[in-house]
Amino acid sequence: MSRVGRNIHVSVDRLRQLAHRDARPRKIKADAGTCPKCDSHFSADEMQRNLRVCTACGHHFPVSARERLEQLGAPGGYEEMWPDLRAADPLQFTDLKPYTERIAEAEKATGMSEAIVCADLEVRHAPAVAAVMDFAFMGGSMGAVVGEKFARACDRAAQRGVPLIVVAASGGARMQEGTLALMQMAKTVIALDSLAAAQVPVIVVLAHPTTGGVWASFASLGDVTYAEPGALIAFSGPRVIEETTREVLPADFGRAERQLENGQVDAVVDRRLLAERIGRVLHILRRPDDDGPTSTQAPALQWAQGGAQWMGDAVQALPRKVMDRIRPGSPDGEDAG
Ligand SMILES: [Zn+2]
């Protein structure tokens, strides 16, 4: 109780200063958890829990390739392949700094060896092979290693007979590898072509941004193509086009929503719904031999993939009312089960 009578020496100026400071809105210094659209701030935990989507305005933050795999599968529920493939520097390229130095910096900053991570994983219990790009590694640019890993992922999907999931996030071909980088466009397209021959479906997710040589090759060739809200999907970014053509482009130029209107993507899907959506598609696309003739998944596709026998069995199992309608000349449907 002796504290009650104690003098506290605080100057009036200091008190005024404090009052003034409290009246001002407290501005948190912008960092990786600050939404660039609405200034909402999230802790690292919140960001992870919200799959790096702003809960206030829906802005989609960038996601690293490994975190993306965890979001699609389960935490730790994927097996990374070919993590040791590293870029060579055949042109001994130097711009403002040597290419080798840029790679070393990117490796240090991201903990990755390249701009793509490939893995076997299960999305909602459906097996798949995934090739996920990471924009943080040299702008997600495609050099020889990205092309090689992508092609290997295609081979693996064909070999396993499971769909390939591609998540694109890239500024395009890697200029430090010159023509060798451009050649990866042809290489990845040929790899996808062999998947088509093997009747293995490809699901592509276009994250922000998907541009240049990646959009002009494998990213635009999915059987099912999803885009994340607000993602820029274009060959050239709006700034480059405006500078070249000296024309002002619409504000939504190349954005996912506009590309949906243009028919370039099948759906714009919020990241928080993405795993569910992909999982559903994977289950629909399952092959007849995955779970035998009792499967009720995707009759049309089962048929297309050579499941004619299975289709016959499935038709037999249809309810009597449906059988009545599809069997010509048997109004009573006597045989129908
Ligand atoms: Zn926001």
Side-chain angles (χ1 to χ4, degrees):
M1 297 306 281
S2 63
R3 277 167 175 250
V4 175
R6 218 170 86 188
N7 290 329
I8 303 169
H9 300 284
V10 181
S11 75
V12 174
D13 280 352
R14 169 88 178 129
L15 284 173
R16 277 197 188 132
Q17 228 176 33
L18 285 172
H20 182 61
R21 195 181 66 180
D22 286 345
R24 282 178 304 178
R26 278 151 61 92
K27 190 140 192 176
I28 301 169
K29 210 178 154 209
D31 61 16
T34 308
C35 176
K37 272 197 177 162
C38 72
D39 277 347
S40 299
H41 190 270
F42 304 95
S43 69
D45 274 0
E46 285 171 324
M47 285 289 267
Q48 202 180 5
R49 219 178 314 127
N50 303 334
L51 309 188
R52 303 200 180 275
V53 177
C54 173
T55 49
C57 77
H59 172 73
H60 283 49
F61 288 80
V63 189
S64 76
R66 290 192 177 122
E67 191 172 349
R68 175 80 71 172
L69 284 164
E70 302 221 334
Q71 290 178 0
L72 290 176
Y78 65 89
E79 203 171 310
E80 188 172 336
M81 294 175 292
W82 321 298
D84 299 326
L85 282 186
R86 282 188 160 74
D89 182 18
L91 305 179
Q92 300 186 329
F93 192 90
T94 299
D95 48 278
L96 293 175
K97 45 178 115 163
Y99 179 34
T100 46
E101 210 174 289
R102 285 194 187 277
I103 294 172
E105 282 175 8
E107 283 186 352
K108 200 176 163 197
T110 62
M112 295 174 36
S113 60
E114 254 300 337
I116 194 167
V117 175
C118 300
D120 282 341
L121 86 165
E122 287 197 351
V123 183
R124 301 293 194 260
H125 307 293
V129 173
V132 180
M133 302 193 77
D134 196 321
F135 193 78
F137 193 103
M138 294 190 72
S141 53
M142 174 166 65
V145 174
V146 169
E148 173 65 18
K149 285 174 92 169
F150 184 87
R152 287 190 189 188
C154 291
D155 289 349
R156 175 131 185 115
Q159 189 191 353
R160 289 184 60 205
V162 297
L164 177 71
I165 299 169
V166 179
V167 182
S170 173
R174 189 173 295 170
M175 65 168 195
Q176 289 86 351
E177 293 188 23
T179 311
L180 291 168
L182 293 178
M183 280 168 61
Q184 306 312 311
M185 293 170 66
K187 177 168 172 165
T188 52
V189 170
I190 291 167
L192 277 184
D193 205 38
S194 67
L195 269 190
Q199 296 182 319
V200 167
V202 180
I203 300 169
V204 174
V205 177
L206 305 167
H208 177 74
T210 299
T211 57
V214 167
W215 173 235
S217 61
F218 64 85
S220 53
L221 294 174
D223 296 305
V224 178
T225 304
Y226 294 138
E228 289 198 329
L232 177 67
I233 302 156
F235 183 68
S236 297
R239 189 176 47 83
V240 174
I241 296 176
E242 284 181 342
E243 278 171 9
T244 311
T245 62
R246 310 226 169 255
E247 276 180 37
V248 180
L249 293 170
D252 64 347
F253 170 83
R255 296 289 161 180
E257 294 73 12
R258 173 55 82 92
Q259 296 292 35
L260 176 66
E261 281 175 31
N262 292 343
Q264 297 282 342
V265 302
D266 297 311
V268 176
V269 181
D270 188 297
R271 188 180 294 153
R272 292 163 288 188
L273 304 173
L274 198 56
E276 184 59 38
R277 181 73 76 97
I278 291 176
R280 217 185 305 158
V281 172
L282 290 178
H283 279 287
I284 290 170
L285 294 176
R286 271 194 162 181
R287 289 184 173 220
D289 52 14
D290 275 359
D291 41 10
T294 52
S295 165
T296 54
Q297 305 289 346
L301 201 98
Q302 305 270 10
W303 182 273
Q305 289 183 338
Q309 176 56 46
W310 175 90
M311 191 67 170
D313 295 342
V315 167
Q316 292 299 326
L318 286 172
R320 186 174 174 145
K321 266 188 179 174
V322 180
M323 286 303 294
D324 290 350
R325 262 190 255 150
I326 61 176
R327 274 195 185 170
S330 66
D332 297 323
E334 287 152 23
D335 304 336

